Amino acid sequence: MPRSTIDRLIINSPYEEPKFHWRYNRETRTFDLVEGRRPAGYVVATPGSRSFDDPGIFVEIPLVNQIRPRVKAWREAGYPGVTSITKRLLEHWRDPEEFDKRRFFFCQLEAVETLIWLTEAPAAERVGIEIPGDGGDFERQCCKMATGTGKTIVMAMVIAWHILNKVANPQDARFSKNVLVVAPGLTVKNRLTVLEPAAAGNYYEAFNIVPSALLDKLRQGRVLVRNWHALAWESEEQLKKRKSVDKRGVKSDEAYTREVLGTMANARNILVINDEAHHAWRVNWEAEGKYLRQRDLKDSAEEATVWIGGLDRLHRSRGILKCYDFSATPFAPSGKKSSEEALFGWIVSDFGLNDAIESGLVKTPRVVVRDDAVPDAKTYKSRLYHIYNDPEVKDDLNRRANAEEPLPDLVLNAYYLLGYDWRETWKAWRDAGRSIPPVMITVCNRTETAARVKHAFDTRRIHIDELCDPERTLHIDSKVLEQADAQGEPAAPVDAPDESDVAVEEGPPVERKLTRAEQAELLRRIVDTVGKEGQPGEKIQNVISVGMLSEGWDAKTVTHIMGLRAFTSQLLCEQVVGRGLRRMSYEVNPETGLLDPEYVNIFGVPFTFLPHEDSGGGPPPPPTPKTAVEPDPAKAQFEILWPNVVRIDRVFQPKLTLDWSKVKTLELDAAQTAQVAELAPILEGKPDVTKIERIELERLAREFRTQRIIFETARDVFDQMKHSWHGSREILLAQLVRSVEQFIRSDRIRITPPLFYQDELRRRLIITLNMSRVIQHVLDAVRQENTERLVPIFDRDHPIRSTGEMRAWYTGKPCARTNKSHINVCVYDSTWEASDAYVLDTSDEVAAWVKNDHLGFEIPYIYRGVVRKYRPDFLIRLKSGDMLVLETKGQDTEQDRVKRRYLDEWIQAVNAHGGFGRWAAAVAKNPGEIRDILRDPHG
């Protein structure tokens, strides 16, 4: 049913392809919830429209809409045509066993899958796909991804895909193991160091992008991250103006390449990745006059010339294999109308801001109008959409006014309204115990306006006292910030003066003035760390800037945005508002399966280009405070270490013995065998269940005769045992065949319903379809009776893990500070856990403890033929020095019993190793049992 406003924007899971989207009807100005995914595209202003609430015109991206269904079909077909390395990576990224530790967003997987499809899918599947170039000699492909959707992780996936394939097959010309990543500034460059495989905190390990067994091969590749400014060179014209005695001419391409690439200078066929690639556009020299007339365009054209021109020189000297562009807004000036931007023609995948909002990947924008802070506030509602365009405001803000001149009344009233709302949020965060304040950002049209806004706050002309603290206000000087961002490396930090340098005479110490470079670097560090505890920008709550905040701004604490500049396109709306849309928490609501909304409240940005939630005239709830969960350096004495066991090998006795009468019965339920449904023939898109018996089941069952089932089961069990078998492998295989035959022909397999058990053909079918369970059942039985000892195998790169390695994460769940845990708080999933946490914190038996939440302590186990990961609830170091693994479980299912059996084996293996102290495991089946367990953990 059409509606004029939207009560909830989040309608899709971030981990699945979008199933719905909101569609805006221009004629009726209502929203419809439409089934299916939104087509790829963007919105431009309606030609000639002067309306502040112009909904714009949707422009489709045909190439993306052509590629999307093909990539989807290719994915569903199992990625035909890819190399074994690529297949392994794709399966690893979608492995559900890793979901608890990390799960990639659908948009991330789709982006990297699209690039892989364009490279590796069979040529027949790519017929008709023509990707336009940018006019240069090297190929470019662009992934359009909204701010906050995780572009850096996709870059890491792409790098891993290229390097691992090239290392595995050096002759494959489709891949490169030398990667140049170009960043738009120093702030972003510093953050992109996580793409270097050997860097501390690199994303390949932190987000488990590469299986641990392949990390050594990944490190055979080279990743160089450079600021675009490093691509600059001096032209002949610039050299003629130089007053230096150095009269050397323009550097050759070879000399230039060696300077830019450094240690990677000898590499050829380089893979280039442009981050924030909307800066990297090829200048249309027919529009040179236009660029020179408009200051912003002139600066952009100079930057684009250096960026793309530098890559052209590298291509001439070394060859660029391919260039992948990543940007939320891949537009470039078209060279036509002053406000017109041209979308990159080489965009191959698109997950825009609308999609990100509807999937909950970014904060939900809200247009807020309070009716209780200022009299008659509702009368200003229409004027507050685009404050700058109001006749009483536009001319005033466009003049060269002094800082002390008052702002227009509409602007002051807007600040009262939005500031009042900010204060309500500030109070809610304070009452929740949060030390970091919410942040309001103002984006101004010019330097003079920013100075007037700053003066209005400093002199408390805006009567929101909590927001008027000069020590917590950051006035960003764009020119100074650009100077700092242009550096290749951060300026040296300012050190305190050495005592030996201080004069003997009495008198106040003279503070050394900071150089311009140091001032610029200090400003950059403050901007870079807004909202980050313990960093220079942690207390900032009011940010005032000109133009727009630069890339790299990723403060997650932005709750309010004030726009005091013109917005003529969706590009500007996205670039300005996008800086404040990063979420604090990515916890899925278990009831809805969706992310809960986090809000950013906006004035002055005409969000009719995007769907937005309406406040309904009442006060919106403040963003739910999130608690940071992280190691507390002050409590390092409570650090807990544990061996990082990847598997447990068994040493078997030389002759197998197996008493099947002691082995429990394997239960197979035909009704739960999902593969049966796949066997039904499809008629007009529906399974014809009337033909399932004769057509498919008979054929498959005949192929798998009993003797074949026996031999294949024995073979698979043999493959898993042979590495730790010290006797004759021929004897082992013969013993296994005999044992498996006894099992298959025995009554130790029970199939329900009985019809399937009595019919030999159907019995073979169900056993065949559950072969992995049969194999695991036999293997477990053999291991149970024939293991001489257990040998733990440790992760080669990280043999020991620690609570201190846990990455900080955020939660809105109930939690409380801890006393004896290295982690600052314990997050409660139940009242039972809260009770146990209190006991652990106060018990005299406990030296240290930690809840196993985001820690990475895992016990691999196999259940129903599938490898899974068991994460027990608590790790406890007792006063005796012993370690206790504690699980709280009110139920006792078959899967729980399997988990505990693997945990017991883990405990036995680690204790037998002897290098990690004495370990024990226990299960508390009822609240309160924990006290008895702590007194007698080995009981």
Side-chain angles (χ1 to χ4, degrees):
M1 179 179 176
R3 59 197 85 185
S4 59
T5 59
I6 297 175
D7 57 356
R8 60 180 177 90
L9 275 180
I10 300 175
I11 49 177
N12 295 310
S13 166
Y15 302 112
E16 298 171 4
E17 185 175 15
K19 295 183 173 66
F20 305 94
H21 68 276
W22 290 108
R23 183 172 61 197
Y24 187 70
N25 188 315
R26 289 189 67 226
E27 283 71 34
T28 62
R29 301 206 173 190
T30 57
F31 292 94
D32 295 312
L33 183 60
V34 181
E35 192 165 345
R37 186 173 180 184
R38 169 183 286 101
Y42 61 105
V43 178
V44 295
T46 305
S49 172
R50 295 179 178 271
S51 172
F52 72 88
D53 61 349
D54 169 33
I57 297 174
F58 182 80
V59 180
E60 185 180 348
I61 307 177
L63 180 60
V64 175
N65 290 323
Q66 190 182 6
I67 290 173
R68 267 184 189 170
R70 300 198 195 187
V71 173
K72 182 177 181 179
W74 173 73
R75 179 194 309 129
E76 292 173 349
Y79 307 108
V82 301
T83 68
S84 59
I85 287 290
T86 302
K87 187 70 175 291
R88 185 172 178 184
L89 286 173
L90 288 165
E91 290 174 349
H92 177 69
W93 295 336
R94 288 188 176 272
D95 182 5
E97 279 300 308
E98 299 294 334
F99 285 177
D100 281 355
K101 195 160 55 177
R102 64 99 180 102
R103 187 176 181 184
F104 297 118
F105 300 136
F106 169 81
C107 60
Q108 294 171 326
L109 291 167
E110 184 186 57
V112 72
E113 284 173 347
T114 300
L115 298 180
I116 293 172
W117 180 82
L118 288 166
T119 303
E120 295 193 54
E125 292 191 18
R126 292 181 276 122
V127 170
I129 301 297
E130 298 287 340
I131 302 175
D134 72 335
D137 294 331
F138 55 87
E139 183 181 355
R140 297 178 73 176
Q141 293 173 8
C142 176
C143 291
K144 180 172 173 280
M145 298 179 69
T147 299
T149 54
K151 294 192 294 290
T152 308
I153 284 180
V154 179
M155 292 180 211
M157 290 170 144
V158 168
I159 290 169
W161 162 53
H162 263 265
I163 290 177
L164 291 173
N165 271 291
K166 192 64 174 179
V167 169
N169 186 3
Q171 304 308 314
D172 196 332
R174 296 174 298 175
F175 303 103
S176 174
K177 66 175 184 178
N178 298 293
V179 185
L180 172 65
V181 182
V182 187
L186 179 58
T187 298
V188 177
K189 173 184 177 291
N190 288 346
R191 294 200 184 129
L192 292 181
T193 56
V194 295
L195 298 177
E196 297 168 3
N202 71 78
Y203 273 14
Y204 311 99
E205 294 179 77
F207 290 96
N208 197 16
I209 288 172
V210 174
S212 56
L214 295 178
L215 284 171
D216 281 346
K217 287 185 171 61
L218 179 71
R219 295 182 186 117
Q220 293 179 36
R222 290 180 291 184
V223 179
L224 177 66
V225 182
R226 299 302 301 266
N227 198 340
W228 73 269
H229 303 80
L231 299 175
W233 69 93
E234 287 186 294
S235 65
E236 286 186 9
E237 185 176 346
Q238 289 170 321
L239 288 172
K240 288 176 184 176
K241 295 179 181 177
R242 190 201 289 168
K243 297 179 180 179
S244 167
V245 294
D246 184 354
K247 297 301 180 184
R248 286 178 294 180
V250 177
K251 287 177 183 168
S252 66
D253 284 350
E254 180 63 24
Y256 170 84
T257 298
R258 293 193 171 279
E259 182 178 290
V260 171
L261 296 183
T263 57
M264 214 168 73
N266 294 324
R268 295 195 175 274
N269 293 324
I270 297 164
L271 175 69
V272 173
I273 294 178
N274 290 326
D275 190 19
E276 306 296 352
H278 50 273
H279 295 282
W281 43 277
R282 199 168 290 279
V283 171
N284 176 5
W285 291 114
E286 293 177 2
E288 183 179 8
K290 172 193 165 187
Y291 296 145
L292 295 176
R293 286 193 304 272
Q294 297 186 37
R295 185 188 63 188
D296 289 348
L297 277 182
K298 180 183 177 183
D299 294 342
S300 295
E302 288 175 357
E303 177 180 346
T305 302
V306 170
W307 194 319
I308 291 298
L311 293 181
D312 282 342
R313 297 190 72 176
L314 294 178
H315 181 60
R316 287 197 296 269
S317 61
R318 292 297 183 268
I320 290 176
L321 176 66
K322 197 168 289 184
C323 178
Y324 290 137
D325 295 336
F326 290 88
S327 172
T329 52
F331 294 78
S334 65
K336 300 175 185 176
K337 296 178 183 177
S338 62
S339 62
E340 187 174 344
E341 293 96 9
L343 195 71
F344 284 4
W346 51 96
I347 296 173
V348 295
S349 74
D350 175 30
F351 201 86
L353 186 53
N354 283 334
D355 303 307
I357 291 170
E358 288 166 352
S359 297
L361 286 174
V362 295
K363 289 175 180 168
T364 297
R366 296 189 67 150
V367 179
V368 182
V369 176
R370 288 227 181 245
D371 59 0
D372 55 353
V374 175
D376 301 320
K378 285 186 177 179
T379 61
Y380 289 116
K381 181 175 180 181
S382 60
R383 299 172 72 192
L384 292 172
Y385 270 100
H386 199 176
I387 299 169
Y388 174 84
N389 253 7
D390 190 277
E392 296 179 14
V393 172
K394 190 171 185 178
D395 291 341
D396 193 319
L397 295 188
N398 265 314
R399 62 192 179 89
R400 291 177 178 254
N402 294 322
E404 59 272 16
E405 293 188 47
L407 292 164
D409 286 342
L410 181 63
V411 174
L412 288 174
N413 285 339
Y415 270 120
Y416 287 144
L417 294 165
L418 198 61
Y420 181 89
D421 192 81
W422 174 91
R423 185 170 64 183
E424 294 299 300
T425 305
W426 175 80
K427 289 177 180 177
W429 287 27
R430 181 196 60 189
D431 294 343
R434 295 204 53 186
S435 59
I436 301 294
V439 174
M440 175 192 286
I441 60 177
T442 299
V443 181
C444 301
N445 64 323
R446 58 191 297 155
T447 303
E448 290 87 350
T449 302
R452 292 167 71 186
V453 172
K454 176 71 162 58
H455 185 266
F457 278 110
D458 286 351
T459 57
R460 299 183 185 269
R461 292 186 182 179
I462 299 166
H463 302 295
I464 309 293
D465 290 347
E466 296 84 352
L467 195 54
C468 294
D469 185 350
E471 297 298 317
R472 292 171 175 259
T473 300
L474 177 61
H475 181 194
I476 298 178
D477 185 326
S478 301
K479 291 183 180 178
V480 175
L481 193 59
E482 286 170 9
Q483 177 188 339
D485 240 6
Q487 303 306 309
E489 295 294 336
V494 182
D495 296 321
D498 190 85
E499 290 185 6
S500 60
D501 296 333
V502 178
V504 177
E505 292 87 20
E506 294 292 325
V510 178
E511 289 188 6
R512 178 175 72 83
K513 284 190 175 181
L514 299 182
T515 65
R516 286 188 178 180
E518 289 169 340
Q519 289 175 345
E521 174 57 15
L522 180 60
L523 175 63
R524 190 193 68 80
R525 286 178 58 209
I526 293 173
V527 171
D528 189 26
T529 57
V530 169
K532 297 179 181 178
E533 196 164 3
Q535 299 292 323
E538 68 172 332
K539 297 300 182 185
I540 297 298
Q541 59 189 27
N542 191 358
V543 177
I544 304 163
S545 73
V546 179
M548 67 186 70
L549 291 164
S550 63
E551 287 85 10
W553 168 276
D554 72 342
K556 298 176 180 179
T557 51
V558 175
T559 55
H560 296 78
I561 298 176
M562 176 71 77
L564 296 178
R565 59 158 295 164
F567 293 93
T568 55
S569 67
Q570 185 191 30
L571 171 64
L572 286 173
C573 288
E574 286 198 33
Q575 288 182 330
V576 170
V577 176
R579 302 274 75 86
L581 291 183
R582 291 186 184 273
R583 289 183 65 97
M584 293 187 65
S585 172
Y586 292 89
E587 283 185 45
V588 172
N589 185 320
E591 294 180 9
T592 63
L594 306 176
L595 293 170
D596 285 330
E598 293 179 9
Y599 296 103
V600 58
N601 301 332
I602 302 168
F603 276 18
V605 181
F607 248 80
T608 45
F609 287 110
L610 301 166
H612 54 273
E613 286 187 7
D614 186 81
S615 66
T624 305
K626 304 294 182 183
T627 302
V629 185
E630 58 193 350
D632 185 345
K635 298 196 292 179
Q637 70 270 31
F638 300 117
E639 181 182 32
I640 288 180
L641 308 174
W642 64 90
N644 191 14
V645 178
V646 293
R647 72 175 189 275
I648 294 173
D649 284 348
R650 289 162 175 79
V651 177
F652 295 103
Q653 57 193 28
K655 185 176 180 180
L656 296 185
T657 60
L658 200 55
D659 185 351
W660 284 109
S661 64
K662 296 180 180 177
V663 177
K664 74 174 184 177
T665 301
L666 174 61
E667 305 275 356
L668 299 178
D669 186 351
Q672 297 299 319
T673 305
Q675 291 88 341
V676 172
E678 296 176 1
L679 300 173
I682 303 298
L683 297 176
E684 297 183 354
K686 303 293 182 184
D688 183 359
V689 295
T690 63
K691 295 185 175 63
I692 192 170
E693 182 178 279
R694 291 185 180 273
I695 298 176
E696 295 290 348
L697 297 186
E698 277 188 25
R699 181 172 61 81
L700 187 60
R702 286 198 183 97
E703 287 179 8
F704 270 76
R705 304 188 66 82
T706 303
Q707 205 58 36
R708 182 177 174 184
I709 293 173
I710 292 169
F711 279 114
E712 293 204 1
T713 303
R715 178 201 63 197
D716 289 349
V717 174
F718 172 78
D719 286 343
Q720 296 191 49
M721 290 183 62
K722 64 185 180 183
H723 301 294
S724 50
W725 179 264
H726 297 302
S728 165
R729 292 190 174 184
E730 290 78 9
I731 293 175
L732 170 62
L733 183 57
Q735 293 180 86
L736 286 173
V737 170
R738 187 167 59 252
S739 297
V740 170
E741 184 170 11
Q742 291 173 356
F743 175 61
I744 296 293
R745 298 190 187 280
S746 73
D747 61 356
R748 310 309 289 176
I749 300 179
R750 182 179 301 140
I751 301 175
T752 55
L755 173 66
F756 277 80
Y757 185 76
Q758 295 162 8
D759 186 304
E760 177 61 25
L761 200 64
R762 299 185 183 203
R763 182 177 185 272
R764 289 209 309 265
L765 175 70
I766 296 303
I767 291 175
T768 300
L769 294 175
N770 289 276
M771 186 71 83
S772 60
R773 290 190 62 195
V774 175
I775 293 165
Q776 193 58 44
H777 197 79
V778 174
L779 187 57
D780 286 347
V782 171
R783 286 171 171 172
Q784 201 75 19
E785 291 192 42
N786 297 277
T787 297
E788 283 189 347
R789 70 176 188 275
L790 301 170
V791 180
I793 305 300
F794 305 106
D795 184 280
R796 187 175 64 174
D797 295 317
H798 303 286
I800 299 174
R801 300 298 299 269
S802 157
T803 50
E805 297 173 355
M806 188 187 83
R807 292 171 64 90
W809 56 284
Y810 296 84
T811 183
K813 293 180 179 179
C815 54
R817 296 202 68 82
T818 58
N819 295 323
K820 294 183 181 179
S821 176
H822 191 193
I823 306 304
N824 61 333
V825 296
C826 179
V827 181
Y828 300 144
D829 292 312
S830 66
T831 53
W832 185 350
E833 278 191 355
S835 172
D836 283 353
Y838 174 76
V839 172
L840 292 171
D841 240 359
T842 57
S843 172
D844 292 336
E845 311 288 342
V846 175
W849 67 279
V850 67
K851 182 182 175 186
N852 185 27
D853 195 353
H854 288 68
L855 276 186
F857 176 64
E858 302 167 334
I859 309 292
Y861 73 102
I862 301 174
Y863 178 66
R864 295 185 179 271
V866 179
V867 178
R868 307 167 192 262
K869 291 177 180 177
Y870 169 37
R871 299 175 179 91
D873 293 322
F874 295 101
L875 289 178
I876 304 163
R877 185 169 70 240
L878 301 170
K879 285 285 180 66
S880 63
D882 290 356
M883 292 295 301
L884 175 64
V885 181
L886 179 67
E887 175 78 11
T888 59
K889 186 68 71 174
Q891 55 185 347
D892 193 26
T893 65
E894 178 193 2
Q895 186 171 3
D896 292 323
R897 291 190 290 273
V898 172
K899 288 180 183 178
R900 290 200 295 275
R901 180 157 56 78
Y902 276 83
L903 174 57
D904 288 341
E905 288 184 355
W906 189 94
I907 296 290
Q908 292 175 40
V910 170
N911 285 340
H913 180 276
F916 300 95
R918 192 163 68 140
W919 287 70
V923 179
K925 295 183 179 178
N926 295 291
E929 279 187 18
I930 187 172
R931 297 181 188 276
D932 294 332
I933 292 172
L934 293 175
R935 281 192 287 269
D936 186 15
H938 300 279

